Amino acid sequence: MNNKTLAIIKPDAVRDNYIGEIITLITKAGFKVKAMKMMQLTTDVAKAFYAVHKERPFYNDLVEYMTSGPCVPIALEKENAVEDYRKLIGATDPAEAAEGTVRKLYAKSKAFNAVHGSDSDANAEIEISFFFSKEELINNYPA
Ligand code: CMP
């Protein structure tokens, strides 16, 4: 059975022109793109998306970072999507990320870490519906 996860190419990676390289790594790893858009998050939207972190000391900086330029949310599908995507992107801190992972290649620091990935199947559903309507999710890939 195919699972879903939400990726976001964050503003630092968009600014550095890494959209293509990152999507190539994702698709070469076997993920299918179900929906994708480029958008500028407002402060309210970024605060809502990261509400789970609102008590963290880095929350305001995180909201500022995520609103600093356009980002690219992507709904992905693959067997074992959440875990496999997290393996593909590597640890939150690029200094701890494995060689060849997206964050090792493209992230600058633990805060400016190039990409987001959902941390569970339940959160993936919530996060995908945060950015995409049912109509925007493509369901017509051949098997
Ligand atoms: P993400 O996977 O999108 O989820 C929460 C984000 O908060 C994380 O990526 C980082 O961008 C940021 N973050 C997590 N930990 C820290 C930290 N210790 N200091 C600053 N930013 C952090």
Side-chain angles (χ1 to χ4, degrees):
M1 187 199 130
N2 274 344
N3 307 113
K4 294 191 185 69
T5 193
L6 180 81
I8 306 177
I9 303 177
K10 295 185 178 184
D12 55 328
V14 172
R15 197 174 296 119
D16 292 341
N17 238 355
Y18 292 141
I19 295 176
E21 281 95 329
I22 292 172
I23 292 174
T24 297
L25 287 173
I26 290 171
T27 52
K28 279 196 167 159
F31 292 87
K32 285 188 167 167
V33 174
K34 301 289 287 181
M36 175 165 71
K37 59 175 86 165
M38 187 166 182
M39 63 192 294
Q40 170 75 50
L41 301 190
T42 63
T43 299
D44 283 351
V45 167
K47 278 185 172 174
F49 183 74
Y50 281 114
V52 65
H53 294 306
K54 68 174 184 288
E55 306 304 333
R56 303 282 193 101
F58 57 81
Y59 181 62
N60 287 338
D61 289 343
L62 175 60
V63 169
E64 195 178 320
Y65 164 43
M66 291 303 295
T67 57
S68 68
C71 67
V72 181
I74 312 171
L76 296 170
E77 188 174 80
K78 185 183 182 295
E79 203 176 311
N80 211 22
V82 167
E83 200 185 325
D84 285 1
Y85 178 76
R86 289 176 78 80
K87 261 188 218 149
L88 177 71
I89 64 176
T92 304
D93 186 343
E96 291 162 19
E99 288 300 325
T101 59
V102 174
R103 284 173 171 155
K104 187 69 175 183
L105 290 164
Y106 302 119
K108 294 183 177 60
S109 65
K110 192 169 187 177
F112 301 107
N113 62 356
V115 284
H116 168 82
S118 308
D119 63 4
S120 66
D121 287 348
N123 281 338
E125 292 295 331
I126 293 167
E127 292 179 359
I128 287 171
S129 46
F130 186 92
F131 285 109
F132 300 105
S133 67
K134 263 194 179 144
E135 291 71 30
E136 286 175 307
L137 293 164
I138 305 300
N139 284 309
N140 61 349
Y141 278 108

